[in-house]
Amino acid sequence: MHIILTGATGTIGSAVLTHLLASPNVSRLSILTRTIFDLPTSDSNGNSFDLEKAKVIEHKDYLSYPDELLKGKLAGAEACIWAQGISQSEVGEDRAVRCGVQGVRLMQGAGREYVHITHDFPLAAARAFATLPLPGGRFNFVYVSGEGADQTEKSMLLFGRIKGRAERALLALPASGLSLTSLRIYNVRPGYVYPAASHRSRRFLLKIADAVIAPIMMQLAPGRMSPTGELAKVLADLAIGDGEPLPAGTGVEDEGRLLRNVGIRRLGKEAEGEAR
């Protein structure tokens, strides 16, 4: 299967990348990125990846997908894992609050940037990818959202409102036009993303949280945690799967199109048990 991946240099995306490189179910992997980077050559156990199936594609404008890209490098793709994103604190409202009138302007600008990245980019991509010639007649679009997303947009947090808006808009796409009926949307809400040691290229405070707080939370509140290895497998399984709604169960909402963190953990444990 040919899969498109975004956000491959992030905490979640890098875990998904290594999982897809190792997966025998993935025959081609197209990685969209603003900046070209070197692919990992092996996993943490020293097992080599088949890099021949992967292509890193420099893509600067995530609102535009020209025909030469869709009909060329992305031709034949049947799924996308949209792991691209940015923390609210990196663009967000907080850094402008104390700056008076100028702060309001900065806050508005930061909010627009967050909306572009979190909402506008995945919507534009889903619309574009739905036009690809699809051997199976469907395109699975897996959107990495987050616990706290609020589709009613009543959350006090910019993150919750915009992630929720994106979820709702993506779910509405398949019914909004004939050219979009091939889309099969999954919104996935991880909790606290806990990376494996090999993926911990995070900011200083997050590294402290990973080392001190996360292990305690894994014991006391495992349902709130999202280990990246487990999360990557669940995301990949959704992308590779048949596009049908998830069966009813703990953590599954929106008629099988929304997977909460407790559901991620449940599916991860079930897959682990099957592999034994």
Side-chain angles (χ1 to χ4, degrees), residues 200-255:
R200 292 180 191 170
S201 57
R202 311 223 281 178
R203 288 174 294 162
F204 179 69
L205 289 178
L206 285 175
K207 288 182 179 180
I208 293 176
D210 290 342
V212 179
I213 300 174
I216 298 172
M217 291 292 291
M218 283 292 286
Q219 297 298 319
L220 298 180
R224 297 180 181 274
M225 306 295 289
S226 290
T228 51
E230 189 175 88
L231 174 59
K233 176 166 177 39
V234 171
L235 294 171
D237 286 349
L238 291 174
I240 293 167
D242 59 13
E244 293 299 309
L246 290 165
T250 304
V252 176
E253 299 178 9
D254 276 348
E255 299 180 339

Coordinates of all heavy atoms in Angstrom, one line a residue, residues 200-255:
R200 N 13.1 10.9 21.7 CA 13.0 12.0 22.6 C 13.9 13.2 22.3 O 14.8 13.5 22.9 CB 13.3 11.5 24.1 CG 12.2 10.6 24.6 CD 12.5 10.1 26.0 NE 11.6 9.1 26.4 CZ 11.7 8.3 27.4 NH1 12.7 8.5 28.2 NH2 10.9 7.4 27.7
S201 N 13.6 13.8 21.1 CA 14.3 15.0 20.7 C 13.3 16.2 21.0 O 13.0 17.0 20.1 CB 14.6 15.0 19.3 OG 13.5 14.8 18.5
R202 N 13.0 16.4 22.3 CA 12.0 17.4 22.6 C 12.6 18.5 23.4 O 13.7 18.5 23.8 CB 10.9 16.7 23.4 CG 10.3 15.4 22.8 CD 8.9 15.3 22.9 NE 8.4 14.9 24.1 CZ 7.1 14.8 24.4 NH1 6.2 15.1 23.5 NH2 6.7 14.3 25.6
R203 N 11.7 19.5 23.7 CA 12.2 20.7 24.4 C 12.5 20.3 25.9 O 12.1 19.3 26.3 CB 11.1 21.8 24.4 CG 11.0 22.5 23.1 CD 9.8 23.4 23.1 NE 8.6 22.7 23.2 CZ 7.5 23.3 23.6 NH1 7.4 24.6 23.9 NH2 6.3 22.7 23.7
F204 N 13.3 21.1 26.5 CA 13.9 20.8 27.8 C 12.9 20.4 28.8 O 12.9 19.4 29.5 CB 14.8 21.9 28.3 CG 15.4 21.7 29.7 CD1 16.4 20.8 29.8 CD2 14.9 22.4 30.8 CE1 17.0 20.5 31.1 CE2 15.5 22.1 32.0 CZ 16.5 21.2 32.2
L205 N 11.8 21.2 29.0 CA 10.8 20.9 30.0 C 10.0 19.6 29.7 O 9.7 18.9 30.6 CB 9.8 22.1 30.0 CG 10.3 23.4 30.7 CD1 9.3 24.5 30.6 CD2 10.8 23.1 32.1
L206 N 9.8 19.4 28.4 CA 9.1 18.1 28.0 C 10.0 16.9 28.3 O 9.6 15.8 28.7 CB 8.7 18.1 26.6 CG 7.5 19.0 26.2 CD1 7.3 19.0 24.7 CD2 6.3 18.5 26.9
K207 N 11.4 17.1 28.2 CA 12.3 16.0 28.5 C 12.2 15.7 30.0 O 12.3 14.5 30.4 CB 13.7 16.4 28.1 CG 13.9 16.4 26.6 CD 15.4 16.7 26.2 CE 15.6 16.6 24.7 NZ 17.0 17.0 24.4
I208 N 12.1 16.7 30.8 CA 12.0 16.5 32.3 C 10.7 15.8 32.6 O 10.7 14.8 33.4 CB 12.0 17.9 33.0 CG1 13.4 18.5 32.9 CG2 11.7 17.7 34.5 CD1 13.6 19.9 33.5
A209 N 9.6 16.2 31.9 CA 8.3 15.6 32.1 C 8.4 14.1 31.7 O 7.8 13.2 32.4 CB 7.2 16.3 31.4
D210 N 9.0 13.8 30.6 CA 9.2 12.5 30.1 C 9.9 11.6 31.1 O 9.6 10.4 31.3 CB 9.9 12.4 28.7 CG 9.1 13.0 27.6 OD1 7.8 13.1 27.8 OD2 9.6 13.3 26.6
A211 N 11.0 12.2 31.7 CA 11.8 11.4 32.6 C 11.2 11.2 34.0 O 11.5 10.2 34.6 CB 13.2 12.1 32.7
V212 N 10.5 12.2 34.5 CA 10.1 12.2 35.9 C 8.6 12.0 36.0 O 8.2 11.1 36.8 CB 10.4 13.6 36.5 CG1 9.9 13.6 38.0 CG2 11.9 13.9 36.5
I213 N 7.7 12.7 35.3 CA 6.3 12.6 35.5 C 5.7 11.5 34.7 O 4.8 10.8 35.3 CB 5.6 14.0 35.1 CG1 6.2 15.1 35.9 CG2 4.1 13.9 35.2 CD1 5.7 16.5 35.5
A214 N 6.1 11.3 33.5 CA 5.4 10.3 32.6 C 5.5 8.9 33.2 O 4.5 8.2 33.2 CB 6.0 10.4 31.2
P215 N 6.6 8.4 33.7 CA 6.6 7.1 34.3 C 5.7 6.9 35.4 O 5.1 5.8 35.6 CB 8.1 6.9 34.8 CG 8.9 7.8 33.9 CD 8.0 9.0 33.7
I216 N 5.5 7.9 36.2 CA 4.5 7.8 37.3 C 3.1 7.8 36.8 O 2.3 7.0 37.2 CB 4.7 9.0 38.3 CG1 6.1 9.0 38.9 CG2 3.6 9.0 39.3 CD1 6.4 10.3 39.7
M217 N 2.8 8.6 35.8 CA 1.5 8.6 35.2 C 1.2 7.3 34.5 O 0.0 6.9 34.4 CB 1.4 9.8 34.1 CG 1.4 11.2 34.8 SD -0.1 11.5 35.7 CE -1.3 11.6 34.4
M218 N 2.2 6.7 33.9 CA 2.0 5.4 33.2 C 1.5 4.3 34.2 O 0.7 3.4 33.9 CB 3.3 4.9 32.6 CG 3.6 5.6 31.3 SD 2.5 5.2 29.9 CE 3.0 3.5 29.5
Q219 N 1.9 4.5 35.5 CA 1.4 3.6 36.5 C 0.1 4.0 37.1 O -0.8 3.1 37.3 CB 2.5 3.5 37.6 CG 3.8 3.0 37.2 CD 3.8 1.5 36.7 OE1 3.1 0.7 37.3 NE2 4.5 1.2 35.6
L220 N -0.1 5.3 37.3 CA -1.3 5.7 38.0 C -2.5 6.0 37.1 O -3.6 5.8 37.5 CB -1.0 7.0 38.8 CG 0.1 6.9 39.9 CD1 0.3 8.2 40.6 CD2 -0.3 5.8 40.9
A221 N -2.2 6.5 35.9 CA -3.3 6.9 35.0 C -2.9 6.5 33.6 O -2.7 7.3 32.7 CB -3.5 8.4 35.1
P222 N -2.7 5.2 33.3 CA -2.3 4.8 31.9 C -3.2 5.2 30.8 O -2.8 5.3 29.7 CB -2.2 3.2 32.1 CG -3.0 2.9 33.2 CD -2.9 4.0 34.2
G223 N -4.5 5.3 31.2 CA -5.5 5.7 30.1 C -5.3 7.1 29.6 O -5.9 7.4 28.6
R224 N -4.5 7.9 30.3 CA -4.3 9.3 29.9 C -3.0 9.4 29.1 O -2.7 10.5 28.5 CB -4.2 10.2 31.0 CG -5.5 10.3 31.8 CD -5.4 11.3 33.0 NE -6.6 11.4 33.7 CZ -7.7 12.2 33.4 NH1 -7.6 13.0 32.4 NH2 -8.7 12.2 34.2
M225 N -2.2 8.3 29.0 CA -0.9 8.3 28.3 C -1.0 7.7 26.9 O -1.8 6.8 26.7 CB 0.1 7.6 29.1 CG 0.2 8.0 30.6 SD 0.8 9.7 30.7 CE 2.5 9.4 30.3
S226 N -0.1 8.2 26.0 CA -0.1 7.6 24.7 C 1.4 7.3 24.3 O 2.1 8.1 23.8 CB -0.6 8.6 23.6 OG -2.0 8.7 23.8
P227 N 1.9 6.1 24.7 CA 3.2 5.7 24.2 C 3.3 5.7 22.7 O 2.4 5.2 22.0 CB 3.4 4.3 24.8 CG 2.3 4.2 25.9 CD 1.2 5.0 25.4
T228 N 4.4 6.3 22.2 CA 4.4 6.5 20.7 C 4.4 5.3 19.9 O 3.9 5.2 18.8 CB 5.6 7.4 20.3 OG1 6.8 6.8 20.9 CG2 5.5 8.8 20.8
G229 N 5.1 4.2 20.4 CA 5.1 3.0 19.7 C 3.7 2.4 19.5 O 3.4 2.0 18.4
E230 N 3.0 2.4 20.5 CA 1.6 1.9 20.5 C 0.7 2.8 19.6 O -0.1 2.3 18.8 CB 1.0 1.8 21.9 CG -0.3 1.2 22.1 CD -0.7 1.1 23.5 OE1 -1.3 2.1 24.1 OE2 -0.3 0.1 24.2
L231 N 0.9 4.1 19.8 CA 0.1 5.0 19.0 C 0.4 4.9 17.5 O -0.5 4.9 16.6 CB 0.4 6.5 19.4 CG -0.2 7.6 18.6 CD1 -1.7 7.5 18.6 CD2 0.2 9.0 19.2
A232 N 1.7 4.8 17.1 CA 2.1 4.6 15.7 C 1.4 3.4 15.1 O 1.0 3.5 13.9 CB 3.6 4.5 15.6
K233 N 1.4 2.3 15.8 CA 0.8 1.1 15.3 C -0.7 1.3 15.0 O -1.2 0.9 14.0 CB 1.0 -0.1 16.2 CG 0.3 -1.4 15.7 CD 0.7 -2.6 16.3 CE 0.0 -3.8 15.9 NZ -0.3 -3.8 14.4
V234 N -1.4 1.9 15.9 CA -2.8 2.1 15.8 C -3.1 3.1 14.6 O -4.0 2.8 13.7 CB -3.4 2.7 17.0 CG1 -4.9 3.2 16.8 CG2 -3.4 1.7 18.2
L235 N -2.3 4.1 14.4 CA -2.5 5.0 13.3 C -2.2 4.3 12.0 O -2.9 4.5 11.0 CB -1.5 6.2 13.5 CG -1.8 7.2 14.6 CD1 -0.6 8.2 14.8 CD2 -3.1 7.9 14.4
A236 N -1.1 3.5 12.0 CA -0.8 2.8 10.7 C -1.9 1.8 10.4 O -2.3 1.6 9.2 CB 0.5 2.1 10.9
D237 N -2.5 1.1 11.4 CA -3.5 0.1 11.1 C -4.8 0.8 10.6 O -5.4 0.2 9.7 CB -3.9 -0.6 12.4 CG -2.8 -1.6 12.8 OD1 -1.9 -1.9 12.0 OD2 -2.9 -2.1 14.0
L238 N -5.1 2.0 11.0 CA -6.2 2.7 10.5 C -6.0 3.1 9.0 O -6.9 3.0 8.2 CB -6.5 4.0 11.3 CG -7.1 3.7 12.7 CD1 -7.1 5.1 13.5 CD2 -8.4 3.0 12.7
A239 N -4.8 3.5 8.7 CA -4.4 3.9 7.4 C -4.4 2.7 6.4 O -4.9 2.8 5.3 CB -3.0 4.6 7.3
I240 N -4.0 1.6 6.9 CA -3.9 0.4 6.0 C -5.2 -0.3 5.9 O -5.4 -1.1 5.0 CB -2.8 -0.5 6.6 CG1 -1.4 0.2 6.5 CG2 -2.7 -1.9 5.9 CD1 -0.3 -0.5 7.2
G241 N -6.1 -0.1 6.8 CA -7.3 -0.9 6.9 C -8.3 -0.6 5.8 O -8.0 0.1 4.8
D242 N -9.5 -1.1 6.0 CA -10.5 -1.1 5.0 C -11.4 0.2 4.9 O -12.2 0.3 4.0 CB -11.5 -2.3 5.1 CG -12.2 -2.3 6.5 OD1 -12.2 -1.3 7.2 OD2 -12.8 -3.4 6.8
G243 N -11.1 1.1 5.8 CA -11.8 2.4 5.8 C -13.2 2.4 6.4 O -13.9 3.4 6.5
E244 N -13.6 1.2 6.9 CA -14.9 1.1 7.5 C -14.9 1.7 8.9 O -13.9 1.8 9.5 CB -15.4 -0.4 7.6 CG -15.6 -1.0 6.3 CD -16.7 -0.3 5.5 OE1 -17.8 -0.1 6.1 OE2 -16.5 0.0 4.3
P245 N -16.1 2.1 9.4 CA -16.1 2.7 10.8 C -15.6 1.6 11.8 O -15.8 0.4 11.6 CB -17.6 2.9 11.0 CG -18.2 3.1 9.7 CD -17.4 2.2 8.8
L246 N -14.9 2.1 12.8 CA -14.4 1.3 13.9 C -15.6 0.6 14.6 O -16.7 1.2 14.8 CB -13.6 2.0 14.9 CG -12.3 2.5 14.4 CD1 -11.7 3.6 15.3 CD2 -11.3 1.4 14.2
P247 N -15.5 -0.7 15.0 CA -16.6 -1.3 15.8 C -16.8 -0.6 17.1 O -15.9 0.0 17.7 CB -16.0 -2.7 16.0 CG -15.0 -2.9 15.0 CD -14.4 -1.6 14.7
A248 N -18.0 -0.6 17.5 CA -18.4 0.1 18.8 C -17.5 -0.5 19.9 O -17.3 -1.7 19.9 CB -19.8 -0.1 19.1
G249 N -17.1 0.3 20.8 CA -16.3 -0.2 21.9 C -15.8 1.0 22.7 O -16.0 2.2 22.4
T250 N -15.1 0.8 23.8 CA -14.6 1.8 24.7 C -13.7 2.7 23.9 O -12.7 2.3 23.2 CB -13.8 1.2 25.9 OG1 -14.7 0.3 26.6 CG2 -13.3 2.3 26.8
G251 N -14.0 4.0 23.9 CA -13.1 5.0 23.3 C -13.4 5.3 21.8 O -12.8 6.0 21.2
V252 N -14.5 4.7 21.3 CA -14.9 4.9 19.9 C -16.2 5.7 19.9 O -17.2 5.4 20.6 CB -15.2 3.5 19.2 CG1 -15.7 3.8 17.8 CG2 -13.9 2.7 19.2
E253 N -16.2 6.8 19.2 CA -17.3 7.7 19.1 C -17.5 8.2 17.6 O -16.9 7.7 16.7 CB -17.1 9.0 20.0 CG -16.9 8.6 21.5 CD -16.6 9.9 22.3 OE1 -16.7 11.0 21.8 OE2 -16.2 9.7 23.5
D254 N -18.5 9.1 17.4 CA -18.8 9.6 16.1 C -19.0 8.5 15.1 O -18.5 8.5 14.0 CB -17.7 10.6 15.6 CG -17.9 12.0 16.1 OD1 -18.9 12.3 16.7 OD2 -16.9 12.8 16.0
E255 N -19.8 7.5 15.5 CA -20.2 6.4 14.6 C -19.0 5.7 14.0 O -18.9 5.3 12.8 CB -21.1 6.9 13.5 CG -22.4 7.5 14.0 CD -23.3 8.0 12.9 OE1 -22.8 8.3 11.8 OE2 -24.5 8.1 13.1

